Amino acid sequence: MTARSARRTTAPHTRLAAVGAIAVAGSLLLAGCGDQTKKGSDSSSASTSSAPLASKLPASIRSAGVVKVGSDIAYAPVEFKDNSGNVVGLDPDLAAAMGKQLGVKFQFENGTFDGLLTGLRSNRYDIAMSAMTDNKNRQNGVDPDTGKKVGEGVDFVDYLTAGVSIYTRKGQTENIASWADLCGKKLAVERGTVSEDLAKSESKKCTGGKKITIEPFDDDQQSQTRLRSGGADAASSDFPVAAYAVKTSGGGKDFQLVGEQVEAAPYGIAVAKSNTQLRDALQAAMDAVIKSGEYQKILTKWGAEDGAVKSSVINGGK
């Protein structure tokens, strides 16, 4: 899979439209559409008994009143902590909206991205919701590097579509305009992400001994810090995250996007394959949020409306 063969987003204006929407996201951070605070991120306004979809949940979760969510809470604007330490972002807002339908709290618990599925398998979390791309490797529990099965796969409840982007220090693009231009360059990424997988795949196509030097970090903030300090030539992350970093870091003076986003694919909520009742309840709740119009409001708030889906599907990733 190279940048040349990667699937691009359907419209050339998508990137500019999303950046424009992200421009207002910061000012709306604490206003409207179910903002998440330490209290708000763990609660919904509906009781389990009165919520319209409560009966779809497993009895154990109805009784507990809580869905434990594994998440890498350092991936703005999808999930992050604001200046007061409150968990905010696209995923917490969508989770709160689902909570109203199901009558339970969605309790976000921080973890490194590459450890979230392990935490799910060990029952530390009920679900993982963290801008996680739904793909066949994760569905089947296959290591993308070796092609070998390394654990039980998961099911995904899909809720958004997003691609992958590259960004550099502002005014210092190092002639990078595509993934093919990264050969011989240093790239900062978050460990365990599609960006890392894509960089490894692209590096194999480099010629003349000029491979991509890939520097993986535990979270995206560390990756951004590495680029900002000059320790890498470029960084890559999901487009909503890259665009938000470009807009907000250093007041918009630190970074710039280069090239187009590629590999558009669905974000999914990961659920253990054995927990089909919870999976189906989440899908029903997400569909209800979409149909109510609250979904579109949340996506617009966080500059992600170009990734909207018309309905939630299970395991739609390829």
Side-chain angles (χ1 to χ4, degrees):
M1 178 175 60
T2 68
R4 295 182 182 88
S5 64
R7 288 174 285 115
R8 297 182 184 273
T9 50
T10 56
H13 69 276
T14 296
R15 173 155 56 90
L16 296 177
V19 172
I22 288 169
V24 301
S27 65
L28 295 175
L29 182 63
L30 298 178
C33 211
D35 283 323
Q36 303 300 299
T37 64
K38 288 180 180 178
K39 179 179 179 181
S41 64
D42 292 345
S43 63
S44 65
S45 61
S47 67
T48 303
S49 60
S50 62
L53 299 177
S55 63
K56 290 184 175 292
L57 284 169
S60 59
I61 289 182
R62 286 204 310 272
S63 177
V66 172
V67 176
K68 295 180 291 183
V69 184
S71 188
D72 169 29
I73 309 175
Y75 210 56
V78 186
E79 51 258 320
F80 63 108
K81 291 185 178 181
D82 66 13
N83 292 334
S84 299
N86 303 316
V87 180
V88 297
L90 173 68
D91 280 353
D93 278 1
L94 287 174
M98 287 192 295
K100 295 174 185 177
Q101 297 292 329
L102 296 167
V104 292
K105 303 174 183 178
F106 280 72
Q107 179 176 299
F108 279 71
E109 300 180 9
N110 196 28
T112 58
F113 185 80
D114 61 343
L116 295 181
L117 295 186
T118 300
L120 184 61
R121 286 192 292 267
S122 66
N123 296 317
R124 178 179 178 183
Y125 315 123
D126 297 311
I127 64 174
M129 188 175 186
S130 191
M132 186 174 289
T133 300
D134 171 6
N135 57 42
K136 292 299 183 185
N137 284 334
R138 287 172 175 157
Q139 291 173 24
N140 298 326
V142 172
D143 186 321
D145 293 331
T146 64
K148 296 181 179 178
K149 191 170 180 62
V150 293
E152 183 183 28
V154 296
D155 284 337
F156 284 99
V157 177
D158 297 342
Y159 63 96
L160 188 78
T161 299
V164 176
S165 293
I166 305 168
Y167 57 103
T168 67
R169 292 184 299 282
K170 196 161 190 175
Q172 301 179 54
T173 65
E174 305 295 334
N175 296 316
I176 298 168
S178 71
W179 282 86
D181 298 327
L182 289 169
C183 295
K185 303 290 199 305
K186 291 183 179 180
L187 179 71
V189 296
E190 182 175 0
R191 186 178 290 107
T193 61
V194 171
S195 289
E196 183 181 25
D197 293 343
L198 186 55
K200 289 177 180 178
S201 178
E202 184 65 35
S203 187
K204 293 176 183 178
K205 303 297 181 181
C206 294
T207 60
K210 293 184 177 181
K211 301 293 185 181
I212 302 173
T213 300
I214 303 167
E215 297 193 335
F217 294 90
D218 285 342
D219 62 52
D220 198 68
Q221 294 300 315
Q222 294 174 10
S223 177
Q224 291 180 29
T225 298
R226 182 65 165 171
L227 175 61
R228 192 182 296 109
S229 68
D233 298 302
S236 176
S237 57
D238 292 354
F239 170 70
V241 177
Y244 189 84
V246 167
K247 187 65 186 178
T248 60
S249 182
K253 298 179 180 179
D254 288 346
F255 305 130
Q256 70 180 79
L257 289 164
V258 293
E260 298 181 27
Q261 59 173 314
V262 300
E263 291 299 295
Y267 279 177
I269 303 170
V271 187
K273 283 191 176 295
S274 60
N275 206 344
T276 56
Q277 187 176 357
L278 176 58
R279 179 200 68 192
D280 293 346
L282 293 172
Q283 183 191 28
M286 184 62 74
D287 270 338
V289 173
I290 292 171
K291 291 175 183 177
S292 73
E294 189 171 6
Y295 171 81
Q296 192 64 43
K297 292 178 182 178
I298 292 170
L299 265 60
T300 299
K301 172 186 172 183
W302 296 108
E305 64 269 35
D306 286 319
V309 297
K310 294 182 178 179
S311 63
S312 176
V313 301
I314 293 172
N315 294 335
K318 298 179 180 180

